[in-house]
Amino acid sequence: MLRGPRRPLWLCLCLCLLLLLLLPGAPGHRGDAGPRNKKAGSGRPWPAFQGLQERLRAAGALSRRYWALFSCRVWPENCEEDEEALAGTLAPPFPGWGLPLLGQQYLDILTTWYCSFQDCCDSGDCRISNNFTGLKSDLSVRLHGQHLAGELILRTVRGYLELPRPDKALVLSFHGWSGTGKNFVARMLAENLYRDGLRSDCVKVFIATFHFPHPKFVDLYKERLTGQIRETQERCRQTLFIFDEAEKLHPELLEALRPHLGRQAPENYKAQSLRTIFLFLSNLGSNIINEEVLNLLKAGWLREEITLEHLEPRLQAQIVESTDSAFGHSCLVKENLIDFFVPFLPLEYRHVRLCARDAFLSQELLYTEEALDEIAKMMVYVPKEEQLFSSQGCKSISQRINYFLP
């Protein structure tokens, strides 16, 4: 659970003094302060001191309630009661000690001032940003040639994260040639859903050949993998797990993921349901995607008219029939645990030029149209006759612009 910043004593004292001095209706602000001329020797020593004690006790009680309400404003993850209930506890210890409008304004001002230099979040977890506007912009502006993937990913991710109580993880499988944007989109998701992007405590990235290179250690890998998933879910109520080179994952690792991907029974729901997204990135099925896209373009279709229905059936069939990977024979595919197979289309010359332009801009370098053309021409295009698709997509574009630096 995310903890709020330390609450310094001076801030508590300042808040208490502010509320005590300025709130209308507080003791000391009333016109009738009671009889002042008591007879000496009445048998009640120090009546003024007794009155002060009563006022201090009442002030302390009210200040603690105001502090609790302010605390729930800026550290909601640590708040045990909702704000309305706390406001209701501000019942007057003396008549006139409610939550007057001016007191509410003081709380609003103090909250705004505090949040001007500290993290305050409506979600209660400042690590989670869920910037869907930024995600939509990135997918439409920074991602080139992938209208189908961009629309599908935005719709499914936003729809899932806005569910009040999801009963399973969202599982997306990205398929396409290297350099078409699979890793790029995974990074976009991390950057727009989490404040710290891929470095967030709520995001884990696994690369099959790097994290799980030796089949003989698969039992150890299974234990570590499931442990990391469990620990990450305990730390964060919204998590993202990315598996790159998914087609190279050991079958037993895929099997170990089953409990985390399947639908949960209602009695297993938590009071605050977890939201988990699994992304599997793979080159599997890329040849079928390329073949279908080429046939559609030859038949007169515009690239932007290609839909998921054109590609997904043959893509799934190719994945299931593949003998080069256990991915298609795993529980993920056989038990329909993957919500969507997302095809990434092969990139054309015009898309490579856009990638080159973005590479120049990201390094704040000037460029010419001739430079963009020269970089695009460095790539290898296939098929041999049509020379239509870049065989590397936009991969290594950033390195190629070094040739044009002064």
Side-chain angles (χ1 to χ4, degrees):
M1 180 66 70
L2 183 69
R3 296 291 179 187
R6 285 185 69 183
R7 306 169 191 183
L9 181 60
W10 67 266
L11 183 58
C12 303
L13 294 175
C14 289
L15 174 62
C16 294
L17 289 173
L18 179 67
L19 293 170
L20 288 173
L21 291 174
L22 298 179
L23 282 176
H29 284 258
R30 293 185 177 184
D32 183 11
R36 297 187 180 183
N37 299 320
K38 289 266 187 179
K39 290 183 179 181
S42 62
R44 297 182 62 192
W46 299 95
F49 180 71
Q50 288 180 344
L52 178 60
Q53 280 185 318
E54 292 177 3
R55 293 183 182 186
L56 287 175
R57 278 195 295 269
L62 183 62
S63 297
R64 284 192 295 274
R65 292 169 187 170
Y66 270 107
W67 172 253
L69 185 57
F70 171 74
S71 177
C72 281
R73 290 279 190 87
V74 297
W75 301 296
E77 70 278 6
N78 293 329
C79 184
E80 297 179 355
E81 303 179 64
D82 61 42
E83 192 172 313
E84 292 183 4
L86 279 169
T89 66
L90 291 168
F94 293 135
W97 278 57
L99 182 62
L101 177 61
L102 188 56
Q104 180 69 55
Q105 292 173 344
Y106 290 149
L107 280 177
D108 293 340
I109 293 171
L110 189 59
T111 301
T112 302
W113 167 75
Y114 179 84
C115 292
S116 68
F117 60 87
Q118 290 287 347
D119 287 333
C120 297
C121 318
D122 294 336
S123 67
D125 189 337
C126 293
R127 297 169 298 183
I128 301 171
S129 56
N130 287 351
N131 181 9
F132 297 119
T133 302
L135 178 60
K136 181 179 180 181
S137 175
D138 283 347
L139 290 172
S140 60
V141 175
R142 298 172 59 200
L143 180 67
H144 304 301
Q146 303 298 350
H147 71 284
L148 205 162
E151 294 168 3
L152 177 61
I153 291 166
L154 178 64
R155 184 176 71 250
T156 54
V157 170
R158 181 169 191 165
Y160 174 74
L161 294 179
E162 290 180 345
L163 287 174
R165 293 174 66 86
D167 60 356
K168 73 178 293 292
L170 174 64
V171 186
L172 301 177
S173 190
F174 295 176
H175 296 268
W177 256 354
S178 178
T180 52
K182 301 185 299 296
N183 281 281
F184 191 36
V185 170
R187 187 165 72 248
M188 283 182 186
L189 284 169
E191 290 172 351
N192 286 286
L193 299 183
Y194 301 94
R195 178 189 60 190
D196 299 325
L198 291 173
R199 300 188 309 276
S200 173
D201 293 338
C202 306
V203 179
K204 290 294 179 185
V205 179
F206 302 97
I207 303 172
T209 54
F210 179 79
H211 293 95
F212 319 112
H214 305 296
K216 63 181 179 180
F217 296 130
V218 67
D219 290 333
L220 176 61
Y221 296 154
K222 284 163 56 178
E223 183 179 348
R224 287 181 178 176
L225 175 59
T226 55
Q228 285 186 295
I229 292 174
R230 184 171 57 253
E231 290 169 7
T232 306
Q233 290 178 327
E234 288 172 356
R235 286 198 303 266
C236 305
R237 60 182 177 81
Q238 177 182 304
T239 52
L240 174 64
F241 299 101
I242 302 169
F243 292 85
D244 197 6
E245 301 180 347
E247 74 278 5
K248 298 175 184 176
L249 287 170
H250 193 282
E252 293 187 32
L253 287 174
L254 294 170
E255 184 67 26
L257 293 174
R258 175 192 281 172
H260 303 283
L261 306 181
R263 198 171 300 278
Q264 302 294 318
E267 58 269 19
N268 294 331
Y269 291 175
K270 294 188 176 181
Q272 188 177 25
S273 296
L274 294 174
R275 289 168 173 79
T276 304
I277 300 175
F278 283 88
L279 302 181
F280 295 93
L281 284 51
S282 172
N283 294 335
L284 205 60
S286 57
N287 289 335
I288 286 296
I289 296 172
N290 298 348
E291 181 183 321
E292 284 294 309
V293 172
L294 181 60
N295 291 337
L296 289 168
L297 294 178
K298 284 183 175 180
W301 290 74
L302 295 177
R303 184 186 181 95
E304 290 70 24
E305 294 175 338
I306 297 174
T307 66
L308 190 63
E309 288 71 23
H310 287 120
L311 304 175
E312 193 175 36
R314 287 200 64 190
L315 173 59
Q316 288 193 48
Q318 175 67 23
I319 292 171
V320 171
E321 295 168 4
S322 174
T323 58
D324 299 330
S325 169
F327 188 82
H329 308 284
S330 68
C331 60
L332 279 68
V333 177
K334 289 185 175 180
E335 298 180 16
N336 297 316
L337 298 179
I338 296 175
D339 295 293
F340 290 97
F341 293 88
V342 184
F344 280 71
L345 312 185
L347 299 183
E348 302 173 30
Y349 181 90
R350 57 191 170 117
H351 304 125
V352 176
R353 288 184 85 260
L354 292 174
C355 291
R357 181 204 62 187
D358 291 349
F360 276 107
L361 293 175
S362 67
Q363 299 186 40
E364 299 182 349
L365 299 172
L366 298 176
Y367 65 90
T368 63
E369 295 298 317
E370 292 76 14
L372 300 185
D373 281 324
E374 286 190 49
I375 292 175
K377 289 175 182 177
M378 291 180 182
M379 311 302 284
V380 177
Y381 293 86
V382 294
K384 188 174 181 180
E385 296 79 14
E386 290 84 358
Q387 299 272 308
L388 187 58
F389 304 137
S390 169
S391 62
Q392 294 178 281
C394 282
K395 205 166 188 176
S396 74
I397 287 290
S398 296
Q399 288 74 30
R400 294 175 189 272
I401 68 173
N402 293 328
Y403 294 110
F404 297 88
L405 298 181

